[in-house]
Amino acid sequence: MSAFWRLGRGSPFPQAGVHPWGGVLRVVVAGMVGLLVTGLLLDLLLPYLPGAPEVPDFDQVRAAHRSSDLWLLDRESRPLQPIRVDHASRRLTWSPLEEIAPNLVEILIEVEDRSFHRHRGVSWPSLIGALKDRFLHGSRRGASTLTMQLAGLLTRESGGWSGRRTLAQKWRQMRSAWAMERSWSKAQILEAYLNLVPFRGELQGISAASRSLFDKHPSGLIPSESILLVAQLPAPNGPVSRTAARACAVAGRLAPELSCAALTGQAERLLRGALPPLRREVAMAPHAARWLLKQHRSASRDTSERRSTLDAELQQIARESLDRQLAQLAGHNVRDGAVLVADNASGAVLAYVGGGSVDPSARHVDGVQALRQAGSTLKPFLYQLAIEERLITAASLLEDSPVELVLPTGIYQPRNYDHGFKGWVSARTALASSLNVPAVRVLLLTGLSRFAARLKQFGYSQVREEGAFYGYALALGSVEVSLWQQVNAFATLANGGTFIPLILDADQESPPPRRITSPESAFILSDILSDPLARTPTFGLGNPLATPFWSAVKTGTSKRMRDNWCIGFTPRLTVGVWVGNFDGQPMREVSGISGAAEVWLEVMQAARLRFGSGHAEPELPSDSGLIRRSIHFEPALEPPRQEWFLAGTGSDAIRLNEGELRPSRIRSPGDGSILAMDPDIPGGLQRLVPRMSPEHAENQWRLDGAPWPAIPEGWELVPGTHQWELVDGEGRLLDRVRFQVRGTEPKQVQEGPAFQEAQPLAVAPGTQE
């Protein structure tokens, strides 16, 4: 009777005494038996010998795990937005073992380490079997236990082993596995392994793999999905066909009811080509998350979550309101917008919408931080400065009429939004109705440098130059600002002139507040901006600015209709809205009322319901010198009313004595103008007609010291430096301007009575409302 040895999957060999290789086989078998006995002894003794490698504590490994996404949370720790912070691999938060599907754990152990619950870190039978297969069949199969694999993962995490494995590295891996088994439980080993093991592509850990491939939490995996995941482990980025073959082999042994064809098709569909991005359950504040990430990097804070000051409900309302308005304005060439809401007392940002989610022109541009032209939204700070310095009061009369100001680049001619003029109006009406010419006249009183310095105090950091750099257009918002700066500045008015920096990080300590203006002047400005009657000349009575509760609000539209703003506040909250196009394209037929104001009103109402209104109206500054008086105008340019004054500036009657209040001035040419003659135009056709404002028939002109009759044809240009003077009926000098005429001798007049009125070299157009 013959006996045979059967080794591995090879052919039967005859009994050792008969087969010519029998002696060799006996030596091999004896060596394997000896190796097994030696391994068992090592398994028992080596972990207790000195010099064992140090392994990290399980709690340390778990605490050190970082998601590749930084999660932005709201003020109540509700998730708002994930943002990628680590591009080396894709990880999500740590998944506890009890939140991983049990079928996955069972399949993993059965396929990767069947003796997991019995060995002490190294499976000697598996190791000997692997050596036998390599010796007899030349096959290479793994013999590493899950504990040994975890030891290798932890070493790679710490920057240890890399490249091709050596016997020395394998020996250290075995010793680390022995040491780990002494201090870790089996459950901890499984949990750490499943959270650190790499899957296909950049995916690391069961949570990222489950979310990316199957769009589900690891607890919801079904057997077919678990088999596909385990089949990736030997070679995560190997050929898809090999992964599918492994999945079929595992299913044939552990789940024969599963179809191999179905598994192969699923593997091809999921793993072929680029993996889909991680599904995100929440995506409400991408721009806020990126802004906070900058703070996160600068502060080097090591966390996968960041609690913000945002409120999830208000954030959602602001997003939806902006999207609805942008959809309605799509026909007016408006694609982008932004919303920012802040708590006045703390500076906490409650809603931060950096852009619309429907067809934006630049999805990643942050409309809250982007710089855009301010338009008329800077006027309140100009009037506040003039009132604080007692240059004007809210009742002071300002003339809204054509004006020309000479700049180095030419003549600046500010115009109102509607291209009309209102004549004499009070400062209250001029500001609330957003009239441009009166604002420029106020800037002439305060001075450019003083106003530029005040804007810097209010947080407009882009105002870096002296006032002369910006010119008189600074009164109309020619400088670029951000919505963040706008809301912070208007919240300062709401706080009675105290600047409290805005914060988005709930754990950030806010810098100490600082006083910018007097509370009295801030109170008067807030009262003007809350007056619905004062804004009727421009906006009428029925508009979104006329809220059923106390609110102070200002709109603004930049030059050529590129930007539209609405910024306003209650005693508790400040809301700012911008709409326009990030690429600078002009809007069509959109004003402050029809553009940003609709969103402003809806968000403000929602914010008041969510956080309360605080005081119904601003509180009168304690121990202030504010005086409220009944006033009337002579003549009755505006109806009688109650008006607020700083102490010492009040008056019961506001009288207009046009001759005393504002004598005539030369309107054109401007002082310092340079007029250019065209040599191809006959000299008799190039003339200049001087103009005064206001017009008075008794006033007289002098040219170069000699009386000049005010002839309709004007004065024929003569090259050189000249001087116009304007005197009243008694010969008193009212105004004087000097100008130059440059050019060569022109041709003689050939025919025709018509003349060409000379123009300055350049004309700066006025800024919009």
Side-chain angles (χ1 to χ4, degrees):
M1 184 176 184
S2 61
F4 293 89
W5 292 89
R6 186 178 298 271
L7 300 178
R9 291 185 294 272
S11 302
F13 283 89
Q15 194 172 359
V18 178
H19 197 282
W21 286 87
V24 176
L25 289 176
R26 281 197 297 272
V27 173
V28 171
V29 172
M32 290 182 176
V33 173
L35 182 60
L36 179 59
V37 173
T38 303
L40 293 175
L41 292 174
L42 289 173
D43 213 24
L44 292 171
L45 300 176
L46 194 58
Y48 301 96
L49 296 178
E54 293 185 2
V55 295
D57 183 70
F58 171 77
D59 292 332
Q60 293 176 339
V61 172
R62 180 169 180 170
H65 181 80
R66 293 287 175 266
S67 171
S68 59
D69 283 356
L70 172 68
W71 271 93
L72 180 69
L73 309 179
D74 86 335
R75 60 198 301 115
E76 298 177 5
S77 298
R78 292 174 291 188
L80 285 176
Q81 180 76 39
I83 185 169
R84 184 76 176 270
V85 294
D86 182 358
H87 296 275
S89 59
R90 200 64 191 267
R91 300 178 303 276
L92 296 184
T93 55
W94 188 277
S95 295
L97 188 62
E98 58 269 19
E99 296 181 8
I100 300 174
N103 69 77
L104 173 66
V105 177
E106 294 171 2
I107 294 171
L108 172 69
I109 293 174
E110 183 65 27
V111 173
E112 289 293 315
D113 191 355
R114 195 177 303 178
S115 60
F116 174 72
H117 290 290
R118 299 189 300 273
H119 64 65
R120 299 189 180 188
V122 178
S123 175
W124 291 101
S126 298
L127 182 61
I128 293 172
L131 291 173
K132 180 200 69 173
D133 284 352
R134 176 172 293 193
F135 179 78
L136 295 179
H137 308 293
S139 64
R140 302 168 69 114
R141 67 180 178 93
S144 296
T145 63
L146 291 176
T147 312
M148 292 171 62
Q149 294 181 49
L150 176 59
L153 291 173
L154 291 175
T155 304
R156 283 196 292 272
E157 288 277 320
S158 62
W161 306 331
S162 61
R164 186 177 180 85
R165 299 292 177 262
T166 64
L167 290 176
Q169 290 176 345
K170 181 63 71 174
W171 175 248
R172 288 196 296 271
Q173 187 181 22
M174 292 168 62
R175 296 204 65 189
S176 296
W178 277 319
M180 188 177 296
E181 289 274 354
R182 290 184 60 192
S183 58
W184 290 37
S185 68
K186 292 290 186 178
Q188 290 174 336
I189 293 172
L190 283 172
E191 182 176 314
Y193 176 85
L194 285 170
N195 280 280
L196 298 177
V197 67
F199 289 89
R200 194 163 190 85
E202 61 178 358
L203 301 176
Q204 182 182 19
I206 187 60
S207 184
S210 177
R211 293 278 188 187
S212 180
L213 296 176
F214 305 112
D215 194 18
K216 60 174 58 177
H217 191 272
S219 61
L221 293 169
I222 61 177
S224 62
E225 295 166 345
S226 297
I227 288 174
L228 282 174
L229 290 172
V230 172
Q232 298 176 43
L233 298 179
N237 294 305
V240 176
S241 58
R242 190 174 300 173
T243 301
R246 280 195 295 265
C248 289
V250 173
R253 196 173 81 223
L254 302 179
E257 70 277 6
L258 296 177
S259 166
C260 179
L263 284 173
T264 301
Q266 192 174 17
E268 290 282 345
R269 185 174 64 257
L270 293 175
L271 305 179
R272 183 73 67 183
L275 293 178
L278 285 176
R279 280 74 167 183
R280 290 172 170 173
E281 297 174 351
V282 183
M284 295 174 58
H287 301 92
R290 281 194 287 270
W291 173 253
L292 200 57
L293 175 60
K294 295 179 181 178
Q295 314 301 319
H296 169 80
R297 283 174 174 163
S298 62
S300 299
R301 293 174 58 178
D302 197 12
T303 177
S304 59
E305 294 180 342
R306 204 64 182 276
R307 192 168 65 91
S308 71
T309 60
L310 298 176
D311 179 75
E313 292 184 20
L314 187 59
Q315 178 76 12
Q316 184 67 21
I317 291 172
R319 281 170 50 87
E320 292 174 352
S321 177
L322 179 62
D323 285 344
R324 281 194 298 271
Q325 182 68 353
L326 291 179
Q328 294 179 6
L329 295 175
H332 298 271
N333 195 36
V334 180
R335 297 188 302 277
D336 303 306
V339 181
L340 190 67
V341 183
D343 179 86
N344 297 331
S346 65
V349 174
L350 304 176
Y352 186 123
V353 181
S357 58
V358 180
D359 191 30
S361 65
R363 188 175 301 277
H364 297 291
V365 174
D366 186 349
V368 172
Q369 304 298 335
L371 298 175
R372 310 293 300 183
Q373 199 173 65
S376 291
T377 55
L378 299 186
K379 290 176 182 175
F381 310 105
L382 172 62
Y383 281 80
Q384 182 276 328
L385 175 62
I387 290 174
E388 183 179 56
E389 296 189 345
R390 300 171 180 262
L391 299 172
I392 63 171
T393 70
S396 295
L397 290 171
L398 303 170
E399 188 179 10
D400 182 26
S401 62
V403 65
E404 294 179 351
L405 301 170
V406 177
L407 301 176
T409 57
I411 294 178
Y412 177 55
Q413 299 172 318
R415 304 183 183 93
N416 289 322
Y417 181 73
D418 59 2
H419 299 285
F421 299 96
K422 304 294 189 295
W424 290 96
V425 296
S426 69
R428 173 179 289 269
T429 299
L431 173 57
S433 294
S434 199
L435 302 179
N436 285 343
V437 176
V440 174
R441 296 191 189 279
V442 173
L443 182 57
L444 290 171
L445 295 176
T446 64
L448 284 165
S449 298
R450 188 73 185 90
F451 181 44
R454 176 53 58 91
L455 291 177
K456 294 178 186 178
Q457 290 179 308
F458 270 94
Y460 291 107
S461 57
Q462 296 306 118
V463 184
R464 300 190 180 99
E465 308 293 338
E466 294 297 323
F469 175 83
Y470 303 100
Y472 297 108
L474 186 61
L476 311 184
S478 60
V479 70
E480 291 187 328
V481 300
S482 69
L483 183 58
W484 181 278
Q485 295 169 351
Q486 295 271 56
V487 169
N488 212 158
F490 276 78
T492 301
L493 291 177
N495 287 327
T498 298
F499 183 88
I500 299 176
L502 299 185
I503 57 173
L504 184 58
D505 188 343
D507 300 321
Q508 175 186 345
E509 293 186 7
S510 180
R514 66 179 189 272
R515 177 157 294 284
I516 302 299
T517 70
S518 69
E520 292 81 8
S521 61
F523 181 91
I524 293 175
L525 254 292
S526 299
D527 187 67
I528 293 174
L529 295 179
S530 68
D531 189 347
L533 293 178
R535 67 173 75 102
T536 53
T538 295
F539 302 103
L541 286 174
N543 58 72
L545 307 182
T547 58
F549 47 86
W550 188 95
S551 64
V553 59
K554 185 72 186 72
T555 62
T557 304
S558 69
K559 187 168 59 177
R560 299 181 183 175
M561 303 293 291
R562 289 195 177 100
D563 307 285
N564 181 240
W565 305 85
C566 187
I567 322 288
F569 55 87
T570 66
R572 174 72 191 277
L573 303 162
T574 298
V575 177
V577 181
W578 167 84
V579 297
N581 295 297
F582 288 136
D583 59 7
Q585 290 188 22
M587 301 172 286
R588 294 193 297 268
E589 300 177 353
V590 176
S591 67
I593 297 300
S594 62
E598 297 284 352
V599 181
W600 178 86
L601 176 61
E602 186 173 349
V603 174
M604 178 60 85
Q605 290 175 327
R608 289 183 76 253
L609 290 174
R610 179 77 177 140
F611 294 96
S613 57
H615 298 289
E617 295 183 6
E619 294 183 309
L620 193 68
S622 59
D623 301 326
S624 70
L626 281 174
I627 301 172
R628 194 173 194 188
R629 305 181 67 166
S630 297
I631 65 169
H632 65 279
F633 294 86
E634 299 177 3
L637 298 170
E638 295 183 7
R641 63 170 182 257
Q642 295 285 316
E643 188 59 270
W644 289 102
F645 296 92
L646 299 180
T649 65
S651 177
D652 296 328
I654 310 299
R655 296 181 176 88
L656 176 63
N657 186 329
E658 193 168 344
E660 294 179 2
L661 184 64
R662 183 171 174 268
S664 296
R665 293 288 185 264
I666 298 175
R667 181 157 63 92
S668 67
D671 191 29
S673 294
I674 300 175
L675 308 180
M677 298 183 66
D678 190 332
D680 293 329
I681 298 177
L685 301 183
Q686 299 187 63
R687 294 176 176 267
L688 172 65
V689 179
R691 304 187 187 279
M692 71 180 81
S693 179
E695 296 278 353
H696 290 293
E698 66 272 16
N699 293 340
Q700 298 177 4
W701 292 100
R702 290 179 182 172
L703 176 63
D704 296 331
W708 180 79
I711 59 176
E713 293 82 2
W715 170 70
E716 182 179 344
L717 296 186
V718 176
T721 299
H722 303 278
Q723 176 177 280
W724 282 108
E725 293 178 331
L726 183 64
V727 298
D728 64 13
E730 298 180 3
R732 292 188 294 255
L733 181 66
L734 299 175
D735 199 5
R736 176 190 293 122
V737 298
R738 294 177 175 85
F739 62 98
Q740 293 184 45
V741 178
R742 294 180 181 177
T744 59
E745 289 295 331
K747 299 176 181 178
Q748 297 299 315
V749 177
Q750 299 297 323
E751 59 181 17
F755 71 92
Q756 170 102 9
E757 186 172 346
Q759 299 294 326
L761 290 178
V763 176
T767 307
Q768 296 284 359
E769 179 254 335

